[in-house]
Amino acid sequence: MKAFEVNFDGLVGPTHNYAGLSLGNVASLKNVSQEARPKEAALQGLAKMKALHDLGLKQGVLAPQERPDLHTLRRLGFGGSDAEVLGKAAKQAPKVLAACSSASSMWTANACTMAPSADSADGRVHFTPANLANKFHRSIEWPTTGRILQAMFNNPRHFVHHDALPMGDHFGDEGAANHTRFCRDYGDPGVHLFAYGKHAFDAGKPAPKKFPARQTFEASAAVARLHQLSDAKTVFAQQNPAVIDQGVFHNDVIAVGNRNVLFTHEQAFLNRMQVYRALDAAYGDGEFHVVEVADSDVPVTDAVSSYLFNSQLVSLPSGDMAIIAPGECEATDSVKQYLDWLVEQETPIKSVQIFDVKQSMQNGGGPACLRQRVVLTEQELTAMNPGVLLSDALFEQLNGWVKRHYRETVTEADLADPALLSESRTALDELTTILKLGSVYPFQLD
Ligand code: SUG
């Protein structure tokens, strides 16, 4: 059956800020306490969505979260009116307030893992929101993410929504940032690559030493079971612990795939030959390509600072593949030289397009972090909520919405401002009407 890959990009939320919350994510720690520009960030994200829509790709929007998260602050013992909760948290535990105010849900690659109906034994599309257990500020995303996904894919005949995996380090799950699907046409059965950082129940196995491994093998295996994937079409691969220790906190910082191509740094995986062979065997027919980048051409440090592999690898309507890369790739000599050379080679990758997503990059989120890929048949596309699919009109409406509601700048001190909370809620309330989501936010459900 004909199917499409739809990219659902996260709208950057009104509280976007740099709080240095992610140990192991080099950019997040480097840019801590910098002044953030939420309006610019959201407009940069929307410009990327519109450009992909204009290339003829299907593009959707994933709504941000309610922040600051008053519900969580109250659970943590801060009481009184909303303004009092913010004031007390700012005074007694400013880092907790910052964590409860992060706009981190913009990185929708981490929103969930999905499986298309062609791959699942029950012939339905499956979604498992990621528990993001390794980082407190992200672990509070999934209940709202789950409600938003249900409001987007709201037909139980076609769509199955699972709970996130149990919280805790053993089942740490980072969603599609550690998952890639390969296929011939999008509607054909695909091969699922689950990359994990460590084995939670076997401390004797290799694991990073300096930075945390966010995804466990046990979590990846649980998601594959929930999504009813075939064993013959599922490959589990361990991330190279040495690169996690150099800032590769998610596998999508060092590898990206699309259809029959894996574009990867040579150091991405432990036992890489085994991984490539397993993918080739699961894919079948000898048409699987690994485009491997040598460390001598692009050192891991350059891959991490430029986010070369956090590009989106997309199939254009012509059938050729394009790399959608962040501006930092042009500014990094080794990467620029590599990309200039790559597009002249005999691989399916024929062009590179550069986008400015600097506001997100400064928190460690590139083009691929900002999108969740969902493969849908024509019938499933018709069955989903059309309010979240980008059109020229929706783009204009969202651009205007950002310009009306967002602040130019936000610093840590602003997070305690009750006006920022009320501005955010007003904006999100309007957004749920624009996107036809119904009530999904705690303030709408109270
Ligand atoms: O989880 N940064 C995010 C970046 C996520 C990138 N996503 C993918 N690779 N798919 C994270 O580390 C930083 C927030 C701060 O420090 O203010 C942050 O959460």
Side-chain angles (χ1 to χ4, degrees), residues 10 17 72 125 148 230 261 267 334-335 411:
N17 72 94
T72 297
V125 181
I148 295 173
S230 123
V261 175
Q267 292 186 13
S334 62
V335 174
T411 61

Side-chain angles (χ1 to χ4, degrees), residues 19-22 25 28 107 110 137-138 177 214 250 252 363-364 369:
L21 299 171
S22 282
N25 169 342
S28 154
W107 300 297
N110 307 118
H137 69 291
R138 306 223 56 187
R214 295 200 198 183
H250 288 139
D252 69 3
N363 248 339
C369 299

Side-chain angles (χ1 to χ4, degrees), residues 133-155:
N134 188 258
K135 297 280 176 272
F136 167 70
H137 69 291
R138 306 223 56 187
S139 70
I140 54 179
E141 290 175 24
W142 86 262
T144 299
T145 302
R147 278 193 298 276
I148 295 173
L149 288 171
Q150 297 202 26
M152 293 165 66
F153 303 100
N154 50 4
N155 182 327

Side-chain angles (χ1 to χ4, degrees), residues 297-298 302-303 306 308 329 332-340:
D297 289 331
V298 178
D302 284 0
S306 70
L308 166 63
C329 286
T332 307
D333 284 346
S334 62
V335 174
K336 166 122 184 53
Q337 275 179 39
Y338 177 82
L339 285 172
D340 288 347

Side-chain angles (χ1 to χ4, degrees), residues 17-25 27-29 32 98 102-104 107-110 132 135 137-138 141 174 176-178 214 249-253 307 310 360 362-366 368-371:
N17 72 94
Y18 298 113
L21 299 171
S22 282
L23 175 69
N25 169 342
S28 154
L29 292 197
V32 58
S102 177
S104 52
W107 300 297
T108 55
N110 307 118
L132 301 172
K135 297 280 176 272
H137 69 291
R138 306 223 56 187
E141 290 175 24
E174 300 285 317
N178 277 44
R214 295 200 198 183
F249 56 100
H250 288 139
N251 187 246
D252 69 3
V253 173
Y307 264 37
N310 203 264
S360 164
Q362 292 181 154
N363 248 339
C369 299
L370 285 162
R371 60 91 176 98

Side-chain angles (χ1 to χ4, degrees), residues 150-171:
Q150 297 202 26
M152 293 165 66
F153 303 100
N154 50 4
N155 182 327
R157 223 185 98 212
H158 294 288
F159 306 114
V160 186
H161 295 275
H162 301 280
D163 279 346
L165 300 182
M167 257 320 151
D169 194 41
H170 284 78
F171 289 96

